[in-house]
Amino acid sequence: MILSIDSSAVTASAALTDGDKVIKSEFVNAGLTHSETLMPMIKRVMQGVDINELSAIAITAGPGSFTGVRIGVASAKGLAFKHNIPCISVSTLEAIAYNFIDENCVVCAVMDARRMQFYNAVFRLENSQCTRLCEDRAVSIDDLREDLKQYDKVIIAGDGARLCFENINLENAVLADEERIYQNAVSVAKAAENKKRIPASQLLPIYLRQSQAERELKKKEKTV
């Protein structure tokens, strides 16, 4: 069994799975209050199951909200350390793509990085396989527009999907349906299936750029 967790953006979710079987899952879209909602959600999902029965804990380690990613990674590490359970690090963008694993399509996963930039990766889903077409990146809307022109049809998904879709102005782009637009812990579990398991000590958040606070500090240091 795998406990999968996501708190990398405005949504949060947790799921307990056993292979392809979803034992229990929860999903909330209540803004960035994950410090209050995530652990109670995990406890409810795990209700009736001893945590020592887990074979791994999977977590979206980024990219995403700096606060949300830190909360998720810290929660996973805390549980894993205490019970000596291995961890699986999953890209948030890849988890988004796995929402469409039953389709043959190209998915453009986007998360809002502010100032009309996006955390992004593009994936091809075919015959229940997910193939990464580019690395996770921070990209401008203009550069992303040029990149997506090469595909016949692209599904745009993720917490930045609506903003991206409304501004990218591409005839080959469609907005994901409401049920699959956000990453969720069930898709995290699917993405984690063939990934390496690591000790909790090696689990680290993945940021594609510095936080606002870090950028402001660098500006101050340059002026001193």
Side-chain angles (χ1 to χ4, degrees), residues 11-70:
T11 61
S13 56
L16 182 65
T17 57
D18 188 354
D20 292 333
K21 180 183 177 184
V22 179
I23 299 170
K24 191 171 183 180
S25 66
E26 283 199 18
F27 175 94
V28 295
N29 186 358
L32 298 173
T33 57
H34 306 325
S35 58
E36 301 169 7
T37 59
L38 190 61
M39 287 308 299
M41 184 185 301
I42 290 170
K43 288 178 181 178
R44 289 192 298 271
V45 164
M46 289 293 297
Q47 192 169 14
V49 177
D50 191 314
I51 197 165
N52 292 301
E53 295 180 53
L54 294 177
S55 60
I57 297 174
I59 177 70
T60 45
S65 152
F66 288 91
T67 301
V69 168
R70 281 196 295 267

Side-chain angles (χ1 to χ4, degrees), residues 76-151:
K77 285 173 76 91
L79 290 169
F81 268 127
K82 186 176 181 180
H83 300 277
N84 196 28
I85 300 168
C87 295
I88 304 172
S89 177
V90 174
S91 160
T92 311
L93 297 165
E94 187 172 354
I96 293 167
Y98 266 85
N99 287 352
F100 303 87
I101 194 65
D102 295 329
E103 289 192 32
N104 292 335
C105 59
V106 173
V107 174
C108 171
V110 286
M111 304 182 74
D112 186 5
R114 309 302 178 195
R115 299 180 181 179
M116 210 49 70
Q117 289 197 333
F118 298 91
Y119 301 129
N120 164 257
V122 182
F123 302 86
R124 185 179 297 280
L125 288 302
E126 195 168 30
N127 300 324
S128 299
Q129 298 292 318
C130 179
T131 302
R132 178 182 285 276
L133 301 182
C134 69
E135 293 304 308
D136 290 359
R137 58 191 178 177
V139 63
S140 70
I141 188 73
D142 293 331
D143 289 341
L144 184 57
R145 183 183 299 111
E146 289 304 311
D147 189 27
L148 296 184
K149 286 179 179 178
Q150 64 185 295
Y151 305 109

